[in-house]
Amino acid sequence: MTTAIQAETTEEPRRRIKSRIGEVEIVDSNVLTFPRGLLGFDGRSEYAVLNLPNPGMERFKLLQSLDDPGLGFIVTEAASAANEIDPNDLQDAYKQCDVRPCDALTLLIVSARREAEGVALSANLRAPIVVDVPRRIGRQHVMSNGRYPIRFEL
């Protein structure tokens, strides 16, 4: 993920929160505000971006609700599916979210499912999260182009 929302390297004051991965320290620069919440999770507007403790999972982060310790989403940058999302559709998403493209970070919510062969990971391409990095404001945007799957295999 970009250094704009990387954790654990700043001298900012820290606070402890309960999360899906245990009690952790966060800094305010890793807190994102979602004024409209995420789809299906209204009323939960503040989320911290956390590193996952699992080795080999560096390209994924945990988007942890500060309003509900049991609520967190695994996310990855849209670069994981860069060839699958039309740049024009991303530009439209940035415009609708009132974010300049140079300030935008696009995240995808990742689902993990157990299968006979192991764990299958998929990303929701239909409703990416658009983050205005300098303002630390996010919004989940539903793509107007219905060709994007909810379960894109990673």
Side-chain angles (χ1 to χ4, degrees):
M1 210 149 299
T2 68
T3 56
I5 57 171
Q6 284 287 345
E8 295 93 30
T9 58
T10 182
E11 297 299 320
E12 286 183 68
R14 297 172 179 267
R15 58 180 159 148
R16 294 195 72 71
I17 64 163
K18 292 182 180 179
S19 76
R20 291 186 63 190
I21 57 174
E23 195 167 301
V24 296
E25 285 187 347
I26 63 166
V27 293
D28 286 341
S29 63
N30 282 6
V31 174
L32 302 175
T33 302
F34 289 80
R36 299 179 183 180
L38 293 174
L39 298 175
F41 297 94
D42 297 338
R44 295 170 185 97
S45 61
E46 283 197 311
Y47 291 81
V49 179
L50 307 175
N51 291 324
L52 293 171
N54 312 55
M57 297 289 285
E58 291 78 16
R59 75 177 184 154
F60 301 101
K61 302 291 179 194
L62 177 65
L63 189 62
Q64 174 63 53
S65 170
L66 299 183
D67 304 305
D68 181 351
L71 179 62
F73 302 93
I74 297 171
V75 295
T76 191
E77 287 189 36
S80 297
N83 295 333
E84 302 300 321
I85 301 176
D86 185 317
N88 292 324
D89 289 335
L90 279 179
Q91 293 301 316
D92 184 52
Y94 300 153
K95 184 177 179 181
Q96 289 186 35
C97 292
D98 195 29
V99 178
R100 296 182 326 168
C102 63
D103 292 336
L105 172 65
T106 307
L107 302 174
L108 304 173
I109 294 178
V110 176
S111 297
R113 293 178 317 284
R114 291 197 189 278
E115 294 184 348
E117 303 82 34
V119 176
L121 298 176
S122 61
N124 181 343
L125 300 187
R126 186 162 309 153
I129 295 171
V130 175
V131 177
D132 184 324
V133 174
R135 296 188 308 158
R136 297 192 319 252
I137 295 175
R139 178 175 164 196
Q140 191 169 17
H141 174 78
V142 177
M143 297 291 225
S144 57
N145 185 336
R147 75 178 185 96
Y148 296 108
I150 293 172
R151 286 189 175 169
F152 172 77
E153 296 300 320
L154 294 177

